[in-house]
Amino acid sequence: MFAKRMENVLESGTVKTANLVSKLKGEGADIISFSMGEPDFHTPENIKEACMRSLANNFTYYTPSAGIPELRRAIADRCRRLNNIPCDASNVLVTPTKQAIFMTMLAMVDEGDEVILPDIAWGTFEACARLAGGKVRYAHLSVENAFRMTPEAVAEKITKRTKLLVLNSPSNPCGAVLTKGDVKGIADLAQDHGFFVLADEIYNQLVFEGEHVSISSLEGMFDRTITVDGFSKTYAMTGWRAGWAVAPKPIFKELNKLQTQSITCVTSFVQQACLEALLGPQGSVAMMKQEFKARRELVYALMKDIPSLDCPMPSGAFYMMPSYAFDMSSEDMAAYLLEEAHVAVTPGSAFGPAGEGRFRLSYAASRENIEKGMARIKDALARL
Ligand SMILES: Cc1ncc(COP(=O)(O)O)c(C=O)c1O
């Protein structure tokens, strides 16, 4: 009954866990969730007010497919200012970040083309690459390199069929931040071998150590990079479904074509709220970053106190990806922690082959819940 391509797609592991947690909580279970990849803060008031004003002004119609011009300009300004990406508004497509990834794969990857992904990586990259007919080649990440995707690991996976490489720094689920040397080395490989780069920079405002380098800012790279970013993580706006892609003109055109034939445009009044997010006060961004940093240190210290878990200190985003010292699949481990500790984590198998034997813990949870949840995990693992 279903198209063959559906065999290539599994339900998102992270969304699946989140749905289960929602259901259990709805039934009254006392679950502490470390499974959500979203800030637990509310969207700042000024952004919500801008949305309400927009609705009151009846800004409720279709907008141009690429987004309202003032928002495209504001995004381009930001990308130039914060990330040194040499773009202007005509390179910017306003679209939900996940949609940007989906459309990039459809636009760039042909049947049989190879896509290099980090192993361990967020599951959507693999699903979208395969949906487009691509073949995934995993670049090995090591704990010794704190899960950074190095040029050496990428070089091993390049073939004549390599079309696209996914760079995700800071990364979900490892919290790894690439060094400037890593990014430069990968840029050299892209230029030498002629492949394109999908740079997912959605966590670039959450770097605690090191510096974020946009690959698109490096000499010769703008023309072969699609950079995606968004409002979800930086402004606590996950439910608003808005972000952007910045791409050289020819690629922008193809992405925009797909947008016109799928979602048409991002919700009109959401775009005006997004404009306020970019142009309004930025105090909440700094506050959230500081809080995530404090939580990172808290989780790390509590994890050090659990002998069966091991994980390097992440440098960015709000995730940790510990390994555990038990001979259990990551699905079984996540199920065990949910049943025995009433703590939700995401099984590592949702993040590629090397995710097995690990689970992802999102510390986008209150400090109180982090302390409670980690104590529950410690007790439950001590009983194994
Ligand atoms: C690495 C990465 N990219 C993109 C997204 C998607 O962002 P959005 O929900 O804004 O589409 C996520 C969400 O978890 C993510 O972790």
Side-chain angles (χ1 to χ4, degrees), residues 146-215:
F147 297 120
R148 287 171 19 246
M149 186 167 72
T150 61
E152 294 73 26
V154 171
E156 279 179 19
K157 299 297 166 179
I158 297 172
T159 72
K160 284 199 175 67
R161 298 236 48 180
T162 304
K163 183 67 186 289
L164 187 73
L165 168 130
V166 174
L167 209 66
N168 175 216
S169 177
S171 77
N172 174 8
C174 298
V177 174
L178 300 193
T179 64
K180 189 162 189 181
D182 295 333
V183 180
K184 173 83 177 66
I186 291 171
D188 290 345
L189 290 171
Q191 294 185 59
D192 290 350
H193 296 272
F195 58 81
F196 293 83
V197 176
L198 166 57
D200 181 335
E201 306 192 348
I202 196 161
Y203 297 101
N204 74 83
Q205 292 303 299
L206 288 173
V207 174
F208 309 121
E209 266 115 37
E211 107 184 92
H212 174 74
V213 179
S214 290
I215 194 163

Side-chain angles (χ1 to χ4, degrees), residues 16-34:
K16 193 165 144 193
T17 314
N19 289 346
L20 175 64
V21 172
S22 257
K23 179 172 170 283
L24 293 173
K25 279 187 170 173
E27 291 164 3
D30 166 31
I31 308 273
I32 292 182
S33 179
F34 294 146

Side-chain angles (χ1 to χ4, degrees), residues 96-140:
T97 316
K98 217 177 208 178
Q99 176 82 4
I101 294 164
F102 188 65
M103 295 193 303
T104 299
M105 293 291 185
L106 286 186
M108 302 301 291
V109 177
D110 249 330
E111 199 70 40
D113 281 349
E114 292 181 1
V115 179
I116 300 180
L117 301 184
D119 186 12
I120 308 163
W122 184 51
T124 293
F125 300 132
E126 178 183 347
C128 292
R130 292 180 61 179
L131 254 179
K135 194 165 159 238
V136 169
R137 307 261 303 172
Y138 275 115
H140 176 68

Side-chain angles (χ1 to χ4, degrees), residues 14-15 36-38 95-101 121-125 166-173 200-203 228-233 237-244 317-319 351 360:
T14 47
V15 176
M36 297 303 279
E38 68 180 344
T95 192
T97 316
K98 217 177 208 178
Q99 176 82 4
I101 294 164
W122 184 51
T124 293
F125 300 132
V166 174
L167 209 66
N168 175 216
S169 177
S171 77
N172 174 8
D200 181 335
E201 306 192 348
I202 196 161
Y203 297 101
V228 302
D229 192 351
F231 297 90
S232 292
K233 319 288 175 172
M237 291 177 71
T238 47
W240 297 71
R241 313 306 307 129
W244 64 84
F318 39 62
Y319 306 105
F351 304 98
R360 185 188 78 172

